[in-house]
């Protein structure tokens, strides 16, 4: 009896795995609707930092589904899932402040969106500066927001200038495909896919 159930279980698992080789479609409708409720704050922060409010909204939809109190296992907090010790600290340093934001600060929707949007601006005008095509820059920003700008650039070259030059030699579609095939973080192409779907759902 036990052996028979074991065989059934093995066949069931094998059947499940054969259907799960391709990741399921992600429906952005509800997450985007919830993220859009924060648009008054998002618009203000985006204007202040020179970032697209649509991109910020799409990131909110993907990162937290619009839940301002969400805390991940890796301690990413709030609407834009900001890690205090990395993105939070970078923004504080950019503003000339010491330390890093607290968890309670990052659970505040206005502060979270402000810090997350500031971080996108720091990436775009700092380490990613020089990427010429706006669509490629958007893809680069998203991949960097999710997995770090250093990891993105090292996918092309260990030398920042050479990496930027290589990126500029690619069309946006070629860049997207290159990241999907070569980025060291397997979730990077999935993240680009989900944010792109969120943007298209607005």
């Amino acid at each position: 009896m036990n052996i028979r159930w074991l065989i059934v279980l093995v066949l069931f698992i094998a059947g499940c795995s054969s259907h799960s080789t391709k990741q399921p479609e992600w429906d952005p409708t509800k997450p985007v609707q919830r993220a859009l409720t924060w648009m008054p704050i998002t618009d203000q922060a985006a204007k202040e930092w020179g970032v697209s409010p649509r991109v910020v909204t799409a990131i909110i939809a993907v990162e937290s589904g619009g839940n301002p109190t969400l805390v991940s296992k890796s301690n990413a907090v709030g609407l834009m899932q900001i890690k205090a010790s990395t993105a939070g600290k970078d923004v504080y340093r950019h503003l000339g402040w010491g330390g890093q934001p607290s968890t309670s600060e990052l659970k505040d929707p206005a502060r979270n969106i402000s810090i997350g949007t500031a971080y996108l601006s720091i990436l775009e005008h700092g380490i990613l500066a020089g990427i010429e095509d706006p669509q490629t820059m958007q893809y680069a920003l998203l991949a960097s927001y999710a997995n770090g700008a250093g990891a993105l650039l090292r996918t092309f070259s260990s030398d920042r200038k050479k990496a930027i030059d290589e990126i500029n030699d690619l069309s946006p579609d070629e860049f997207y495909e290159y990241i999907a095939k070569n980025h060291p973080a397997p979730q990077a192409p999935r993240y680009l896919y989900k944010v792109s779907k969120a943007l298209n759902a607005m």
Side-chain angles (χ1 to χ4, degrees), residues 2 7 10 18 20 22-23 26 30 43 65 69-70 77 81 86 110 113 125 137 143 159 163 166 173-174 178 182 186:
N2 287 342
I7 292 168
V10 168
S18 68
S20 62
K22 189 180 178 187
Q23 288 185 311
W26 180 69
K30 286 184 181 178
D43 276 337
T69 62
L70 185 68
V77 182
Q81 287 293 278
T86 53
I113 292 172
H125 302 291
M137 174 61 88
D159 178 270
E166 283 193 33
D173 287 345
E174 288 169 337
Y178 186 93
N182 299 289

Side-chain angles (χ1 to χ4, degrees), residues 48-118:
E48 183 181 344
W49 288 102
V51 174
S52 163
R54 292 182 75 251
V55 169
V56 175
T57 301
I59 288 173
I60 290 170
V62 172
E63 290 284 358
S64 68
N67 178 1
T69 62
L70 185 68
V71 180
S72 75
K73 289 178 183 175
S74 62
N75 214 31
V77 182
L79 289 169
M80 296 185 74
Q81 287 293 278
I82 296 163
K83 290 185 183 178
S85 60
T86 53
K89 189 178 278 187
D90 285 350
V91 171
Y92 264 38
R93 190 184 302 119
H94 181 78
L95 293 169
W97 302 345
Q100 63 188 44
S102 65
T103 298
S104 61
E105 182 180 358
L106 291 176
K107 283 184 178 179
D108 175 77
R111 291 296 298 144
N112 188 285
I113 292 172
S114 179
I115 290 169
T117 306

Side-chain angles (χ1 to χ4, degrees), residues 13 16 27-29 60 62 77-78 99 110-112 147 165 167 177:
I13 291 169
C16 287
D27 183 1
T29 310
I60 290 170
V62 172
V77 182
R111 291 296 298 144
N112 188 285
N147 299 108
D165 288 343
I167 289 169
E177 192 174 325

